[in-house]
Amino acid sequence: MKNKKISVIGLGKLGSPMVASFAAKGFNVIGVDTNLDSIHLINKGMAPVFEPQLNEYLHANHKRISATDNYNTAIANSEISFIIVPTPSDKEGAFSLKYVLEVGKHIGGALRKKSDFHLVVLTSTVLPGATEKELLPVLEFHSGKRCGRDFGICYNPEFVALGSVIKDIFKPNFILIGESDPDSGEILTSFYKTICENNPPIARMNFVNAELTKISVNTYVTTKISYANMLAEICEHLPGANIDIVTSALGLDPRIGPKYLKGALGYGGPCFPRDNIAFAYLAHRLGTTAMLAETTNLLNKRQVPRLLKLIKSKLSPKGKVGILGLAYKPNTDVVEESEGIGLARSLIAEEIPVMAYDPAAMKNAKKVLNASIIFTSSLKECIQQVDIVVITVPWKEFKNIQPEQLARPNNKPLIVIDCWRILDHKRYKEVVDYVPIGIGS
Ligand SMILES: NC(=O)c1ccc[n+]([C@@H]2O[C@H](COP(=O)([O-])OP(=O)(O)OC[C@H]3O[C@@H](n4cnc5c(N)ncnc54)[C@H](O)[C@@H]3O)[C@@H](O)[C@H]2O)c1
């Protein structure tokens, strides 16, 4: 398997780590993108996107990596091609196949000139029906070849989390494969046996079941997150209740499990919110409803207003608020659908002065927030100038804040709203007015 050559189409947040990880396992990998800057960086062994370990992996394996904008070169010189281009949500909530089908045309054209069998793997998130009804006909039309005979297709979505993509590629919880034919599924299965370090279960099925499974996983996880958030809100109104105590016991039940059961802020990022909406859209398209997905979405949208209400109840007139955390989670610079950004927007709308700091996402946050917010260059600078600090992301840097950093020279203590309960309240209660989310007073 290791002498197989791989191409990866789309060198973004997922595609670049895939290139690096596959090369680290000994494969020769050709990356393809329309963005010449990404191609240039990959060819120099440098990361085109922010992702922990990516630079190191690209650099260490650059002998086996090349990047180009030429599909013919990539397809002619590889046996398996992964498509990992954007599938942006349209206004109804469905995933647009614009980029996937554009790539399909190019791959089809390149396959026309190739006599060997080629495996096309669609990794981008799509809705049920997309692989068989949309990509397959485009590939057959432009190649003049037959799927299952001259080339194969697998739908193989990723379940990685930004911030730990490389680790998750090597140690996935499971591998999901929708296959056009058993041989194609077998090729991809053998490939993953070389890539994965943890011998994960591999679920093989037809396209439509794999497509449905992909968004079902994300919808289920968001339901769990929202359940814990709902519970946290109840705890806040119940004297003596503590969300951490309740969820740590809940998680002991193997039918529930401890993961994603924190009770903090809403979920964000480029996948969870839109996958949930797409799931509800799919149900409507099929003439039914996905009430749980719709309610989960509503619960998620409730988290920032809930936090805003709490902040306003504590803030003195003309008081300033500092937001610690603008990325949608730690270890990423992505701010899409981030709760910190949502909170900043809500505070600005209420004309409350806002300062903000994030260890990695300042550049991206500046692009989406207007000038009414002050971005500080350090954690210290943010803390010193505000009346309330809200910890919206459990970054390691914030967990390491020392009590003396929060102490005020005057008698008025700083109010710290800790959405993730990352500070040990016993160490901080002497110096600040500590307000954890999810704890009944
Ligand atoms: N980011 C995640 O956490 C994550 C997780 C699971 C699934 N996904 C899915 O993976 C897909 C890609 O996501 P991403 O976050 O890597 O996107 P991204 O926007 O970070 O990167 C996409 C890349 O594709 C390139 N591209 C666009 N059109 C192209 C074309 N015609 N030919 C070649 N390259 C082209 C872009 O230039 C860009 O570099 C989406 O469907 C997304 O839903 C993402």
Side-chain angles (χ1 to χ4, degrees):
M1 181 41 79
K2 272 207 177 147
N3 49 13
K4 281 221 181 312
K5 297 194 180 87
I6 311 296
S7 50
V8 175
I9 324 287
L11 300 172
K13 295 185 286 296
L14 231 59
S16 301
M18 283 165 69
V19 167
S21 313
F22 299 167
K25 293 290 176 186
F27 291 96
N28 284 307
V29 189
I30 307 176
V32 181
D33 207 292
T34 45
N35 183 331
L36 297 180
D37 291 340
S38 302
I39 293 172
H40 185 62
L41 285 166
I42 294 267
N43 280 329
K44 279 171 65 182
M46 290 164 72
V49 293
F50 177 97
E51 178 60 36
Q53 295 186 296
L54 182 57
N55 247 324
E56 294 83 332
Y57 271 85
L58 285 171
H59 183 70
N61 299 289
H62 79 275
K63 284 202 303 284
R64 282 186 293 281
I65 296 172
S66 63
T68 175
D69 61 352
N70 188 321
Y71 280 89
N72 288 328
T73 309
I75 303 304
N77 292 297
S78 63
E79 285 124 305
I80 307 177
S81 298
F82 288 83
I83 304 175
I84 182 69
V85 293
T87 46
S89 301
D90 67 20
K91 56 181 187 311
E92 287 180 292
F95 301 135
S96 161
L97 293 174
K98 184 169 91 171
Y99 300 103
V100 169
L101 298 184
E102 176 68 23
V103 171
K105 276 189 212 167
H106 288 294
I107 296 181
L111 286 179
R112 192 174 273 279
K113 303 176 195 117
K114 191 175 173 180
S115 51
D116 296 338
F117 185 87
H118 195 93
L119 178 63
V120 179
V121 182
L122 178 59
T123 299
S124 302
T125 307
V126 298
L127 279 174
T131 313
E132 186 160 8
K133 299 270 182 334
E134 308 262 0
L135 180 62
L136 189 153
V138 166
L139 285 169
E140 286 195 332
F141 179 80
H142 288 274
S143 64
K145 298 191 170 184
R146 276 269 308 283
C147 177
R149 185 188 67 193
D150 310 312
F151 69 91
I153 307 179
C154 287
Y155 176 61
N156 168 233
E158 282 290 352
F159 296 97
V160 296
L162 293 183
S164 59
V165 178
I166 293 180
K167 187 176 130 263
D168 294 349
I169 288 175
F170 292 145
K171 293 189 174 158
N173 292 326
F174 75 113
I175 299 285
L176 178 62
I177 299 177
E179 57 198 43
S180 56
D181 56 285
D183 289 348
S184 296
E186 206 48 55
I187 294 171
L188 195 57
T189 299
S190 309
F191 173 74
Y192 277 115
K193 288 200 166 138
T194 319
I195 295 293
C196 301
E197 295 167 359
N198 60 339
N199 194 21
I202 299 183
R204 288 172 59 180
M205 55 195 75
N206 67 14
F207 290 140
V208 85
N209 283 316
E211 289 161 334
L212 184 59
T213 304
K214 161 65 184 171
I215 51 169
S216 304
V217 167
N218 283 2
T219 310
Y220 195 92
V221 173
T222 54
T223 307
K224 202 171 172 192
I225 294 170
S226 299
Y227 185 89
N229 289 343
M230 176 186 74
L231 206 51
E233 190 172 354
I234 289 174
C235 285
E236 279 162 25
H237 290 88
L238 185 62
N242 180 323
I243 183 69
D244 288 327
I245 293 174
V246 177
T247 52
S248 55
L250 257 184
L252 295 175
D253 187 321
R255 292 170 300 176
I256 300 173
K259 289 188 177 164
Y260 289 93
L261 208 53
K262 181 70 188 168
L265 284 182
Y267 53 82
C271 292
F272 279 167
R274 77 190 198 103
D275 286 3
N276 208 290
I277 291 166
F279 191 81
Y281 160 84
L282 171 71
H284 281 290
R285 198 183 76 189
L286 298 171
T288 179
T289 54
M291 282 160 69
L292 202 52
E294 287 175 20
T295 309
T296 298
N297 187 36
L298 287 176
L299 269 168
N300 203 50
K301 288 197 183 319
R302 193 180 148 73
Q303 302 312 311
V304 167
R306 183 181 139 213
L307 183 56
L308 181 67
K309 195 171 156 202
L310 175 66
I311 294 168
K312 283 168 70 182
S313 73
K314 305 264 171 204
L315 193 65
S316 53
K318 300 213 174 120
K320 289 187 193 142
V321 177
I323 299 177
L324 296 185
L326 295 168
Y328 84 95
K329 63 175 196 168
N331 302 324
T332 180
D333 67 349
V334 174
V335 296
E336 227 171 309
E337 303 272 341
S338 118
E339 295 286 86
I341 297 281
L343 177 64
R345 287 199 177 117
S346 303
L347 290 164
I348 294 165
E350 300 265 342
E351 298 184 354
I352 296 171
V354 190
M355 306 190 113
Y357 171 74
D358 187 283
M362 299 295 265
K363 199 167 135 211
N364 287 339
K366 283 177 190 167
K367 287 185 205 156
V368 299
L369 285 173
N370 67 24
S372 4
I373 168 168
I374 296 172
F375 294 95
T376 65
S377 55
S378 69
L379 170 65
K380 188 173 162 202
E381 197 189 330
C382 186
I383 292 172
Q384 279 173 348
Q385 300 183 59
V386 296
D387 304 279
I388 295 186
V389 157
V390 189
I391 304 175
T392 47
V393 181
W395 275 103
K396 196 171 168 199
E397 185 180 346
F398 304 155
K399 288 182 184 169
N400 293 336
I401 300 174
Q402 295 306 309
E404 53 275 18
Q405 288 177 272
L406 299 171
R408 284 287 155 93
N410 55 24
N411 290 335
K412 205 172 141 217
L414 178 67
I415 299 168
V416 176
I417 300 182
D418 186 352
C419 301
W420 294 85
R421 301 172 300 283
I422 57 175
L423 304 180
D424 173 4
H425 81 279
K426 288 185 224 87
R427 286 185 66 213
Y428 296 82
K429 70 173 185 212
E430 298 297 323
V431 285
V432 300
D433 180 358
Y434 183 71
V435 184
I437 288 279
I439 312 284
S441 54

